[in-house]
Amino acid sequence: MTATTPATTDNFATPIEDRYFEDYVPGAVHVFGNSTLTEQDILEFARRFDPQSFHTDPAAAQAGPFQGLIASGWHTTAVMMRMYADHYLSKVASLASPGVDEVRWQRPVRPDDTLSVRATITGARVSRSKPDRGLVHTDVEVLNQHGETVLTMTIMNMLRRRP
């Protein structure tokens, strides 16, 4: 897989190395990342983690329901997570995630598709039990090079508040 590239249209006012809970503003939309999946990437991931023929065997995949090789949805999710960690999650305030809701693989990812992420902050609230942190809800869409949505999910992240 090619390395992810810097953010493409990221409008955070604060750099990722100094980003805290307060910098995640509801309604803000951030678009970032650029990662191309090669056929070899798809085959290697699937052979190791999701060995279904439409992910692991180009000839069988051609005759299958998708009429060609496709990436595992888990592979697409892993690529999204790399871009999310590289461009969106604070390097100083991220405290992990209590969970992800409604993961949906909307359309197949094929060899040589280039993916990016659009993250829309839908909510942010200070923790009632631990006021030194907050919980941010983000709707995530992974887009291919044609701007088509291939993956959606809602992620919750805990972040430290600015000291």
Side-chain angles (χ1 to χ4, degrees):
M1 179 173 62
T2 58
T4 59
T5 59
T8 53
T9 57
D10 179 6
N11 60 350
F12 272 106
T14 308
I16 199 166
E17 297 82 13
D18 191 37
R19 199 173 292 162
Y20 287 85
F21 166 77
E22 292 82 0
D23 300 306
Y24 293 82
V25 178
V29 178
H30 304 278
V31 179
F32 50 85
N34 184 357
S35 187
T36 301
L37 277 69
T38 67
E39 180 174 307
Q40 190 61 35
D41 295 330
I42 291 169
L43 293 171
E44 287 175 7
F45 183 96
R47 287 176 180 149
R48 186 154 183 219
F49 298 109
D50 192 353
Q52 298 180 74
S53 63
F54 43 84
H55 301 318
T56 61
D57 182 342
Q62 192 61 45
F66 301 102
Q67 299 174 336
L69 192 70
I70 64 168
S72 164
W74 296 113
H75 188 180
T76 304
T77 305
V79 170
M80 179 285 308
M81 187 63 217
R82 179 58 192 248
M83 290 186 284
Y84 194 76
D86 285 349
H87 300 290
Y88 184 79
L89 284 178
S90 168
K91 302 293 185 202
V92 294
S94 180
L95 296 170
S97 171
V100 173
D101 293 328
E102 300 199 21
V103 175
R104 297 287 182 266
W105 295 296
Q106 303 287 344
R107 68 178 51 235
V109 172
R110 300 192 181 272
D112 301 320
D113 275 357
T114 298
L115 306 178
S116 62
V117 174
R118 179 169 48 218
T120 303
I121 301 170
T122 58
R125 67 169 179 81
V126 174
S127 170
R128 289 182 278 279
S129 61
K130 296 180 180 176
D132 66 329
R133 63 195 67 182
L135 186 65
V136 175
H137 286 81
T138 307
D139 283 349
V140 172
E141 300 166 277
V142 177
L143 310 170
N144 66 19
Q145 68 276 12
H146 306 293
E148 300 165 325
T149 302
V150 299
L151 166 70
T152 60
M153 66 177 69
T154 299
I155 300 178
M156 296 171 283
N157 293 103
M158 289 185 293
L159 295 132
R160 285 186 188 96
R161 294 179 71 195
R162 186 165 270 106

